[in-house]
Amino acid sequence: MNSMINNVVTEQALDPKAFRRALGNFATGVTIMTAQNSQGERVGVTANSFNSVSLDPALILWSIDKNSSSYRIFAEATHFAVNILSAAQIELSNKFARRAEDKFAGVEYDVGAGNSPVLKNCSAVFECEKFNIVEGGDHWIIIGKVIQFHDHGRSPLLYHQGAYSAVLPHPSLNTKAAPDESIFPGRLYDNMYYLLTQAVRAYQNDYQPKQLASGFRTSEARLLLVLESKTATCKSDLQREVAMPIHEIEQATEILAQKGLLLDTGHSYELTAQGNACAHMLYKIAESHQEEVFTQYSAEDRELFKKMLKDLIGI
């Protein structure tokens, strides 16, 4: 009996704000849930309550506040879409989190199952048939049956302790084992080609996750950096500077243009103000990593190393 009383007292004593802060320690992804009813009314809300339920059948769930004005359309719609945001979609997350008459104004999307809006450039999208709605305290728990999904593989946007965050590998995963002194490499470690390729691989292992955490794929990030530097004055120069297959460049320019970061002038590509801001952010990531890797070397050593690389490239 005393135990039961204690439990009741504990529940009554819960501070909602403190409880919310404690829940914030659980890092989640960020999604925008979208749907459209038979009258053509569209709805979209930012949510981090998304979770998987079952693999067979493929079921997922999310929850929405009972006081939300958006709930009516989700309840009326036969389908909804789960748009898992990429790390580059903070502005989109904020837009759908605010009250607005038409949140879709200026937003590019395709029409998915049940006429649900499917947002572009996400990490992944799950198109769902409404399976069930269950009451859960002050929220409705909406369960969907996944009928189609799109896996784009972009680094996802995270939410942790009330702030946006991004995915980075845990530092312990980058711990390098001490070299085995009993191994004698002989002529291999005098081979410049071997050393250069191994050095690039090692540098990329630590740098690429930081770059991907920005929400841009390697091709998109490289294109932003090249265009900001203005080393490619026309489209024909891009492949040389970006050093990627032309189809990768074409796909990257299309995505950057959709995001409003790049303009096609016909003869060349130019970054918008927002595109330049993104390029500056990427440069800061690159420069920070560069400083971290080369901190043990003097300024003279670094300049000599850069000169040797530029000579090899032919700059």
Side-chain angles (χ1 to χ4, degrees):
M1 182 70 174
N2 288 339
S3 175
M4 186 180 298
I5 292 173
N6 287 338
N7 286 340
V8 171
V9 170
T10 302
E11 289 175 6
Q12 288 178 342
L14 280 179
D15 180 346
K17 290 183 179 179
F19 182 51
R20 181 186 289 270
R21 283 197 300 270
L23 289 174
N25 289 303
F26 182 63
T28 67
V30 182
T31 70
I32 293 176
M33 302 294 178
T34 55
Q36 182 170 297
N37 63 15
S38 58
Q39 288 76 46
E41 295 176 288
R42 294 171 305 186
V43 68
V45 297
T46 300
N48 66 338
S49 55
F50 169 73
N51 215 328
S52 60
V53 176
S54 166
L55 292 178
D56 187 14
L59 300 177
I60 58 88
L61 64 76
W62 68 287
S63 60
I64 184 170
D65 194 307
K66 285 183 176 179
N67 294 320
S68 171
S69 59
S70 300
Y71 171 70
R72 176 183 62 83
I73 298 176
F74 282 110
E76 294 172 352
T78 58
H79 296 72
F80 64 89
V82 182
N83 301 274
I84 299 180
L85 300 188
S86 75
Q89 293 180 306
I90 289 177
E91 289 185 14
L92 198 62
S93 172
N94 289 336
K95 178 170 186 169
F96 279 84
R98 292 189 290 263
R99 291 182 180 274
E101 283 194 19
D102 185 6
K103 296 180 181 179
F104 292 91
V107 175
E108 291 195 27
Y109 63 89
D110 295 317
V111 177
N115 292 321
S116 298
V118 173
L119 305 180
K120 294 189 176 183
N121 302 316
C122 293
S123 290
V125 177
F126 297 91
E127 297 182 45
C128 304
E129 180 183 13
K130 189 170 64 186
F131 186 79
N132 199 2
I133 297 180
V134 181
E135 188 173 11
D138 56 9
H139 278 60
W140 292 110
I141 301 170
I142 302 178
I143 303 172
K145 182 177 181 180
V146 179
I147 58 176
Q148 185 171 220
F149 66 90
H150 314 274
D151 182 0
H152 302 300
R154 293 186 175 89
S155 183
L157 181 64
L158 299 186
Y159 195 69
H160 178 237
Q161 293 185 339
Y164 291 117
S165 189
V167 176
L168 282 176
H170 196 278
S172 65
L173 299 177
N174 293 327
T175 303
K176 296 178 176 63
D180 187 346
E181 294 180 359
S182 65
I183 298 175
F184 182 69
R187 298 168 65 184
L188 181 62
Y189 284 8
D190 287 327
N191 185 309
M192 286 292 190
Y193 177 77
Y194 174 80
L195 292 176
L196 284 169
T197 54
Q198 289 294 85
V200 169
R201 180 193 58 78
Y203 196 89
Q204 284 180 331
N205 282 347
D206 294 335
Y207 171 66
Q208 277 196 323
K210 297 176 183 179
Q211 179 180 275
L212 292 172
S214 69
F216 293 104
R217 291 183 174 183
T218 299
S219 56
E220 297 163 18
R222 197 174 293 180
L223 192 60
L224 283 168
L225 294 175
V226 167
L227 291 175
E228 195 279 339
S229 70
K230 302 190 186 305
T231 54
T233 56
C234 61
K235 291 181 179 179
S236 58
D237 293 337
L238 273 181
Q239 194 167 11
R240 181 196 69 237
E241 291 294 321
V242 178
M244 299 192 89
I246 190 64
H247 70 273
E248 289 280 354
I249 295 174
E250 289 172 348
Q251 185 180 44
T253 54
E254 182 180 345
I255 290 171
L256 294 177
Q258 287 173 359
K259 293 179 177 179
L261 307 180
L262 173 150
L263 296 174
D264 187 346
T265 66
H267 173 69
S268 62
Y269 295 108
E270 292 181 3
L271 296 183
T272 63
Q274 187 181 355
N276 274 304
C278 290
H280 291 159
M281 174 194 66
L282 290 167
Y283 266 117
K284 285 184 179 179
I285 293 172
E287 288 162 1
S288 173
H289 183 70
Q290 184 173 307
E291 183 63 29
E292 180 183 320
V293 171
F294 293 98
T295 187
Q296 60 183 310
Y297 301 101
S298 68
E300 292 78 10
D301 287 341
R302 296 187 198 190
E303 287 305 313
L304 177 60
F305 184 57
K306 282 191 281 188
K307 181 181 183 306
M308 294 169 69
L309 291 176
K310 289 177 182 178
D311 287 345
L312 284 171
I313 297 169
I315 298 175

